[in-house]
Amino acid sequence: MIQNLPDLRILPLDSLILHEDHDNQRTLPLVERLRVQGVIRNPPIVMPLMDGSNRYMVLDGANRVTSLREMEFPHIVAQVVEPNNPNVNLQTWNHVIWGMTKKSLMSAIRKLMGLELIKINTRKSLDPPKYVPVQIRFPDGKFYLLTETPTDLAHHIETLHKIVSTYKVRASLDRTRQTLIDSFKPIYPDLTALVIFPSFKIKTVLKLAAQKIVLPTGITRFTVSPRALHLKYPMHELSSGKPMEYKEENLKEWIEERVKKKGVRLYSEATFLFDE
């Protein structure tokens, strides 16, 4: 048996909770693809909550989880990682926005209650806010901070949702790790802005999810090593009414058979896949 395989388990679908707002428009196309393919290609990654509730937060794979719920599956195969795993990291996605005028975006933001739009003079210092503010950079070099009246973390998350709502249906967006806007100018002729979000700690996101407080869609990115990919686990093994214990044992045997046939390989080096 290969040592240190990813921890793959069969879990009840109703024990999984999302940590980000989910776009339900993405669910139906995946439901159709799953029905045609008949396999779970890449298992979602989940992390147990720290409240003893036997619930798991979905780190990656929200669309797969939502699709199987739509198909009324009782169970799912998932990769489980622990909160104290040093090989699990949380990064922040920023949003590149295009197809919306600067005037429209600024007008929508100014209408948000409890939010102050501050134009930054980069030659002057600022007093630190209670919560790290959202930053907006425009192609003309203008730079703004979106600050809010200090309250609590739940209100801060609600404010992030309101900011994203000003453009998510009125403009197109891509996710990026970059924090400077100049490199996007030649790529997006109708570039609107770069929205830079604050970072979060894993334990904070776990606590929020346990309270059913979700972050806006597309602002977090979890990285996990090692990652189970191309599993291609048969969906009929998940859809049956057989007990979870039976399905767990079946998964274990299925993995052992794959290992015996040399169907499992660990790539220790950075790898590009061209069949995604």
PDB file of all heavy atoms in Angstrom, residues 18 20-30 62-64 66-67 161 168-169 173 214-218:
ATOM      1  N   LEU A  18     -21.288  24.771   3.035  1.00  0.00           N
ATOM      2  CA  LEU A  18     -20.467  25.626   2.191  1.00  0.00           C
ATOM      3  C   LEU A  18     -19.941  26.813   2.996  1.00  0.00           C
ATOM      4  O   LEU A  18     -20.576  27.256   3.956  1.00  0.00           O
ATOM      5  CB  LEU A  18     -21.279  26.130   0.999  1.00  0.00           C
ATOM      6  CG  LEU A  18     -21.968  25.062   0.132  1.00  0.00           C
ATOM      7  CD1 LEU A  18     -22.647  25.728  -1.064  1.00  0.00           C
ATOM      8  CD2 LEU A  18     -20.987  24.000  -0.329  1.00  0.00           C
ATOM      9  N   GLU A  20     -18.714  29.581   1.143  1.00  0.00           N
ATOM     10  CA  GLU A  20     -18.879  30.706   0.238  1.00  0.00           C
ATOM     11  C   GLU A  20     -20.263  30.667  -0.391  1.00  0.00           C
ATOM     12  O   GLU A  20     -20.851  29.598  -0.552  1.00  0.00           O
ATOM     13  CB  GLU A  20     -17.840  30.673  -0.898  1.00  0.00           C
ATOM     14  CG  GLU A  20     -16.518  31.300  -0.586  1.00  0.00           C
ATOM     15  CD  GLU A  20     -15.671  31.511  -1.835  1.00  0.00           C
ATOM     16  OE1 GLU A  20     -16.034  31.010  -2.918  1.00  0.00           O
ATOM     17  OE2 GLU A  20     -14.649  32.188  -1.717  1.00  0.00           O
ATOM     18  N   ASP A  21     -20.761  31.836  -0.760  1.00  0.00           N
ATOM     19  CA  ASP A  21     -22.006  31.924  -1.500  1.00  0.00           C
ATOM     20  C   ASP A  21     -21.843  31.151  -2.803  1.00  0.00           C
ATOM     21  O   ASP A  21     -20.794  31.229  -3.450  1.00  0.00           O
ATOM     22  CB  ASP A  21     -22.311  33.402  -1.783  1.00  0.00           C
ATOM     23  CG  ASP A  21     -23.772  33.630  -2.078  1.00  0.00           C
ATOM     24  OD1 ASP A  21     -24.571  32.697  -1.904  1.00  0.00           O
ATOM     25  OD2 ASP A  21     -24.115  34.761  -2.480  1.00  0.00           O
ATOM     26  N   HIS A  22     -22.875  30.398  -3.175  1.00  0.00           N
ATOM     27  CA  HIS A  22     -22.762  29.546  -4.361  1.00  0.00           C
ATOM     28  C   HIS A  22     -23.659  30.046  -5.474  1.00  0.00           C
ATOM     29  O   HIS A  22     -24.800  30.445  -5.238  1.00  0.00           O
ATOM     30  CB  HIS A  22     -23.133  28.103  -4.018  1.00  0.00           C
ATOM     31  CG  HIS A  22     -23.039  27.167  -5.188  1.00  0.00           C
ATOM     32  ND1 HIS A  22     -21.836  26.860  -5.799  1.00  0.00           N
ATOM     33  CD2 HIS A  22     -23.995  26.492  -5.878  1.00  0.00           C
ATOM     34  CE1 HIS A  22     -22.061  26.030  -6.798  1.00  0.00           C
ATOM     35  NE2 HIS A  22     -23.352  25.804  -6.868  1.00  0.00           N
ATOM     36  N   ASP A  23     -23.134  30.021  -6.699  1.00  0.00           N
ATOM     37  CA  ASP A  23     -23.900  30.408  -7.879  1.00  0.00           C
ATOM     38  C   ASP A  23     -24.662  29.189  -8.390  1.00  0.00           C
ATOM     39  O   ASP A  23     -24.088  28.301  -9.020  1.00  0.00           O
ATOM     40  CB  ASP A  23     -22.957  30.948  -8.961  1.00  0.00           C
ATOM     41  CG  ASP A  23     -23.708  31.443 -10.198  1.00  0.00           C
ATOM     42  OD1 ASP A  23     -24.954  31.400 -10.182  1.00  0.00           O
ATOM     43  OD2 ASP A  23     -23.051  31.857 -11.158  1.00  0.00           O
ATOM     44  N   ASN A  24     -25.962  29.140  -8.133  1.00  0.00           N
ATOM     45  CA  ASN A  24     -26.763  27.970  -8.515  1.00  0.00           C
ATOM     46  C   ASN A  24     -26.884  27.790 -10.025  1.00  0.00           C
ATOM     47  O   ASN A  24     -27.258  26.711 -10.491  1.00  0.00           O
ATOM     48  CB  ASN A  24     -28.161  28.077  -7.895  1.00  0.00           C
ATOM     49  CG  ASN A  24     -28.134  27.894  -6.391  1.00  0.00           C
ATOM     50  OD1 ASN A  24     -27.343  27.116  -5.868  1.00  0.00           O
ATOM     51  ND2 ASN A  24     -28.992  28.622  -5.682  1.00  0.00           N
ATOM     52  N   GLN A  25     -26.569  28.835 -10.788  1.00  0.00           N
ATOM     53  CA  GLN A  25     -26.628  28.707 -12.246  1.00  0.00           C
ATOM     54  C   GLN A  25     -25.582  27.725 -12.770  1.00  0.00           C
ATOM     55  O   GLN A  25     -25.710  27.206 -13.880  1.00  0.00           O
ATOM     56  CB  GLN A  25     -26.434  30.079 -12.902  1.00  0.00           C
ATOM     57  CG  GLN A  25     -27.590  31.045 -12.640  1.00  0.00           C
ATOM     58  CD  GLN A  25     -27.395  32.369 -13.361  1.00  0.00           C
ATOM     59  OE1 GLN A  25     -26.317  32.666 -13.883  1.00  0.00           O
ATOM     60  NE2 GLN A  25     -28.443  33.183 -13.389  1.00  0.00           N
ATOM     61  N   ARG A  26     -24.557  27.465 -11.969  1.00  0.00           N
ATOM     62  CA  ARG A  26     -23.499  26.544 -12.392  1.00  0.00           C
ATOM     63  C   ARG A  26     -23.870  25.082 -12.104  1.00  0.00           C
ATOM     64  O   ARG A  26     -23.193  24.169 -12.553  1.00  0.00           O
ATOM     65  CB  ARG A  26     -22.188  26.891 -11.673  1.00  0.00           C
ATOM     66  CG  ARG A  26     -21.674  28.279 -11.956  1.00  0.00           C
ATOM     67  CD  ARG A  26     -20.400  28.553 -11.166  1.00  0.00           C
ATOM     68  NE  ARG A  26     -19.360  27.598 -11.465  1.00  0.00           N
ATOM     69  CZ  ARG A  26     -18.281  27.411 -10.716  1.00  0.00           C
ATOM     70  NH1 ARG A  26     -18.135  28.102  -9.609  1.00  0.00           N
ATOM     71  NH2 ARG A  26     -17.373  26.517 -11.054  1.00  0.00           N
ATOM     72  N   THR A  27     -24.935  24.878 -11.339  1.00  0.00           N
ATOM     73  CA  THR A  27     -25.260  23.528 -10.889  1.00  0.00           C
ATOM     74  C   THR A  27     -25.840  22.660 -12.000  1.00  0.00           C
ATOM     75  O   THR A  27     -25.396  21.525 -12.210  1.00  0.00           O
ATOM     76  CB  THR A  27     -26.252  23.586  -9.709  1.00  0.00           C
ATOM     77  OG1 THR A  27     -25.636  24.298  -8.626  1.00  0.00           O
ATOM     78  CG2 THR A  27     -26.623  22.186  -9.239  1.00  0.00           C
ATOM     79  N   LEU A  28     -26.831  23.178 -12.720  1.00  0.00           N
ATOM     80  CA  LEU A  28     -27.534  22.373 -13.715  1.00  0.00           C
ATOM     81  C   LEU A  28     -26.606  21.809 -14.793  1.00  0.00           C
ATOM     82  O   LEU A  28     -26.690  20.615 -15.114  1.00  0.00           O
ATOM     83  CB  LEU A  28     -28.668  23.180 -14.346  1.00  0.00           C
ATOM     84  CG  LEU A  28     -29.599  22.403 -15.275  1.00  0.00           C
ATOM     85  CD1 LEU A  28     -30.239  21.222 -14.537  1.00  0.00           C
ATOM     86  CD2 LEU A  28     -30.682  23.316 -15.848  1.00  0.00           C
ATOM     87  N   PRO A  29     -25.690  22.609 -15.397  1.00  0.00           N
ATOM     88  CA  PRO A  29     -24.784  22.028 -16.399  1.00  0.00           C
ATOM     89  C   PRO A  29     -23.936  20.890 -15.841  1.00  0.00           C
ATOM     90  O   PRO A  29     -23.699  19.894 -16.531  1.00  0.00           O
ATOM     91  CB  PRO A  29     -23.904  23.227 -16.814  1.00  0.00           C
ATOM     92  CG  PRO A  29     -24.726  24.424 -16.510  1.00  0.00           C
ATOM     93  CD  PRO A  29     -25.500  24.078 -15.277  1.00  0.00           C
ATOM     94  N   LEU A  30     -23.484  21.009 -14.574  1.00  0.00           N
ATOM     95  CA  LEU A  30     -22.673  19.935 -13.997  1.00  0.00           C
ATOM     96  C   LEU A  30     -23.520  18.702 -13.720  1.00  0.00           C
ATOM     97  O   LEU A  30     -23.037  17.569 -13.875  1.00  0.00           O
ATOM     98  CB  LEU A  30     -21.995  20.413 -12.716  1.00  0.00           C
ATOM     99  CG  LEU A  30     -21.082  19.377 -12.045  1.00  0.00           C
ATOM    100  CD1 LEU A  30     -19.998  18.892 -13.016  1.00  0.00           C
ATOM    101  CD2 LEU A  30     -20.441  19.942 -10.779  1.00  0.00           C
ATOM    102  N   ALA A  62     -17.624  22.998  -4.189  1.00  0.00           N
ATOM    103  CA  ALA A  62     -19.001  23.366  -3.828  1.00  0.00           C
ATOM    104  C   ALA A  62     -19.981  23.023  -4.942  1.00  0.00           C
ATOM    105  O   ALA A  62     -21.120  22.605  -4.687  1.00  0.00           O
ATOM    106  CB  ALA A  62     -19.076  24.853  -3.501  1.00  0.00           C
ATOM    107  N   ASN A  63     -19.550  23.181  -6.190  1.00  0.00           N
ATOM    108  CA  ASN A  63     -20.441  22.890  -7.306  1.00  0.00           C
ATOM    109  C   ASN A  63     -20.768  21.404  -7.392  1.00  0.00           C
ATOM    110  O   ASN A  63     -21.913  21.011  -7.674  1.00  0.00           O
ATOM    111  CB  ASN A  63     -19.796  23.366  -8.618  1.00  0.00           C
ATOM    112  CG  ASN A  63     -20.820  23.560  -9.722  1.00  0.00           C
ATOM    113  OD1 ASN A  63     -22.002  23.775  -9.469  1.00  0.00           O
ATOM    114  ND2 ASN A  63     -20.366  23.474 -10.955  1.00  0.00           N
ATOM    115  N   ARG A  64     -19.775  20.554  -7.105  1.00  0.00           N
ATOM    116  CA  ARG A  64     -20.029  19.112  -7.104  1.00  0.00           C
ATOM    117  C   ARG A  64     -20.975  18.720  -5.968  1.00  0.00           C
ATOM    118  O   ARG A  64     -21.888  17.903  -6.149  1.00  0.00           O
ATOM    119  CB  ARG A  64     -18.698  18.361  -6.963  1.00  0.00           C
ATOM    120  CG  ARG A  64     -17.923  18.178  -8.268  1.00  0.00           C
ATOM    121  CD  ARG A  64     -16.429  18.005  -8.021  1.00  0.00           C
ATOM    122  NE  ARG A  64     -15.754  19.283  -7.839  1.00  0.00           N
ATOM    123  CZ  ARG A  64     -14.518  19.422  -7.407  1.00  0.00           C
ATOM    124  NH1 ARG A  64     -13.814  18.346  -7.075  1.00  0.00           N
ATOM    125  NH2 ARG A  64     -13.971  20.601  -7.295  1.00  0.00           N
ATOM    126  N   THR A  66     -23.220  20.630  -4.480  1.00  0.00           N
ATOM    127  CA  THR A  66     -24.554  21.145  -4.773  1.00  0.00           C
ATOM    128  C   THR A  66     -25.234  20.320  -5.862  1.00  0.00           C
ATOM    129  O   THR A  66     -26.450  20.078  -5.806  1.00  0.00           O
ATOM    130  CB  THR A  66     -24.468  22.616  -5.212  1.00  0.00           C
ATOM    131  OG1 THR A  66     -23.737  23.360  -4.234  1.00  0.00           O
ATOM    132  CG2 THR A  66     -25.850  23.225  -5.354  1.00  0.00           C
ATOM    133  N   SER A  67     -24.467  19.874  -6.831  1.00  0.00           N
ATOM    134  CA  SER A  67     -25.035  19.069  -7.918  1.00  0.00           C
ATOM    135  C   SER A  67     -25.532  17.720  -7.412  1.00  0.00           C
ATOM    136  O   SER A  67     -26.613  17.259  -7.807  1.00  0.00           O
ATOM    137  CB  SER A  67     -23.989  18.866  -9.023  1.00  0.00           C
ATOM    138  OG  SER A  67     -23.632  20.098  -9.612  1.00  0.00           O
ATOM    139  N   HIS A 161     -20.391  41.167   1.061  1.00  0.00           N
ATOM    140  CA  HIS A 161     -21.442  40.725   0.132  1.00  0.00           C
ATOM    141  C   HIS A 161     -22.031  41.916  -0.627  1.00  0.00           C
ATOM    142  O   HIS A 161     -22.257  41.837  -1.847  1.00  0.00           O
ATOM    143  CB  HIS A 161     -22.556  40.016   0.901  1.00  0.00           C
ATOM    144  CG  HIS A 161     -22.269  38.580   1.206  1.00  0.00           C
ATOM    145  ND1 HIS A 161     -22.424  37.565   0.283  1.00  0.00           N
ATOM    146  CD2 HIS A 161     -21.830  37.985   2.350  1.00  0.00           C
ATOM    147  CE1 HIS A 161     -22.101  36.404   0.835  1.00  0.00           C
ATOM    148  NE2 HIS A 161     -21.734  36.638   2.086  1.00  0.00           N
ATOM    149  N   LYS A 168     -21.386  42.052  -9.513  1.00  0.00           N
ATOM    150  CA  LYS A 168     -21.337  40.651  -9.958  1.00  0.00           C
ATOM    151  C   LYS A 168     -22.347  40.315 -11.050  1.00  0.00           C
ATOM    152  O   LYS A 168     -22.114  39.383 -11.822  1.00  0.00           O
ATOM    153  CB  LYS A 168     -21.476  39.700  -8.775  1.00  0.00           C
ATOM    154  CG  LYS A 168     -22.855  39.633  -8.155  1.00  0.00           C
ATOM    155  CD  LYS A 168     -22.877  38.565  -7.067  1.00  0.00           C
ATOM    156  CE  LYS A 168     -24.257  38.408  -6.460  1.00  0.00           C
ATOM    157  NZ  LYS A 168     -24.259  37.364  -5.401  1.00  0.00           N
ATOM    158  N   VAL A 169     -23.465  41.047 -11.133  1.00  0.00           N
ATOM    159  CA  VAL A 169     -24.430  40.784 -12.202  1.00  0.00           C
ATOM    160  C   VAL A 169     -24.403  41.873 -13.268  1.00  0.00           C
ATOM    161  O   VAL A 169     -25.072  41.750 -14.289  1.00  0.00           O
ATOM    162  CB  VAL A 169     -25.864  40.643 -11.638  1.00  0.00           C
ATOM    163  CG1 VAL A 169     -25.968  39.444 -10.728  1.00  0.00           C
ATOM    164  CG2 VAL A 169     -26.312  41.904 -10.926  1.00  0.00           C
ATOM    165  N   LEU A 173     -16.233  39.215 -14.430  1.00  0.00           N
ATOM    166  CA  LEU A 173     -15.105  39.230 -13.497  1.00  0.00           C
ATOM    167  C   LEU A 173     -14.273  37.967 -13.623  1.00  0.00           C
ATOM    168  O   LEU A 173     -14.774  36.902 -13.969  1.00  0.00           O
ATOM    169  CB  LEU A 173     -15.573  39.433 -12.058  1.00  0.00           C
ATOM    170  CG  LEU A 173     -16.345  38.324 -11.332  1.00  0.00           C
ATOM    171  CD1 LEU A 173     -15.397  37.358 -10.632  1.00  0.00           C
ATOM    172  CD2 LEU A 173     -17.297  38.918 -10.308  1.00  0.00           C
ATOM    173  N   VAL A 214     -21.698  32.769   5.345  1.00  0.00           N
ATOM    174  CA  VAL A 214     -20.848  32.440   4.200  1.00  0.00           C
ATOM    175  C   VAL A 214     -20.187  33.700   3.649  1.00  0.00           C
ATOM    176  O   VAL A 214     -20.731  34.808   3.745  1.00  0.00           O
ATOM    177  CB  VAL A 214     -21.649  31.734   3.084  1.00  0.00           C
ATOM    178  CG1 VAL A 214     -22.180  30.401   3.568  1.00  0.00           C
ATOM    179  CG2 VAL A 214     -22.795  32.607   2.580  1.00  0.00           C
ATOM    180  N   LEU A 215     -19.033  33.517   3.065  1.00  0.00           N
ATOM    181  CA  LEU A 215     -18.310  34.601   2.415  1.00  0.00           C
ATOM    182  C   LEU A 215     -18.859  34.809   1.006  1.00  0.00           C
ATOM    183  O   LEU A 215     -19.514  33.924   0.454  1.00  0.00           O
ATOM    184  CB  LEU A 215     -16.823  34.269   2.347  1.00  0.00           C
ATOM    185  CG  LEU A 215     -16.099  34.100   3.686  1.00  0.00           C
ATOM    186  CD1 LEU A 215     -14.679  33.591   3.460  1.00  0.00           C
ATOM    187  CD2 LEU A 215     -16.073  35.406   4.456  1.00  0.00           C
ATOM    188  N   PRO A 216     -18.608  35.970   0.411  1.00  0.00           N
ATOM    189  CA  PRO A 216     -19.022  36.165  -0.982  1.00  0.00           C
ATOM    190  C   PRO A 216     -18.351  35.152  -1.903  1.00  0.00           C
ATOM    191  O   PRO A 216     -17.260  34.652  -1.606  1.00  0.00           O
ATOM    192  CB  PRO A 216     -18.549  37.598  -1.295  1.00  0.00           C
ATOM    193  CG  PRO A 216     -18.393  38.254   0.023  1.00  0.00           C
ATOM    194  CD  PRO A 216     -17.978  37.175   0.978  1.00  0.00           C
ATOM    195  N   THR A 217     -18.989  34.870  -3.001  1.00  0.00           N
ATOM    196  CA  THR A 217     -18.447  33.883  -3.926  1.00  0.00           C
ATOM    197  C   THR A 217     -17.127  34.358  -4.529  1.00  0.00           C
ATOM    198  O   THR A 217     -16.945  35.540  -4.823  1.00  0.00           O
ATOM    199  CB  THR A 217     -19.458  33.600  -5.057  1.00  0.00           C
ATOM    200  OG1 THR A 217     -18.941  32.579  -5.908  1.00  0.00           O
ATOM    201  CG2 THR A 217     -19.749  34.839  -5.879  1.00  0.00           C
ATOM    202  N   GLY A 218     -16.185  33.419  -4.655  1.00  0.00           N
ATOM    203  CA  GLY A 218     -14.963  33.676  -5.397  1.00  0.00           C
ATOM    204  C   GLY A 218     -13.940  34.566  -4.741  1.00  0.00           C
ATOM    205  O   GLY A 218     -13.198  35.271  -5.437  1.00  0.00           O
TER     206      GLY A 218
END
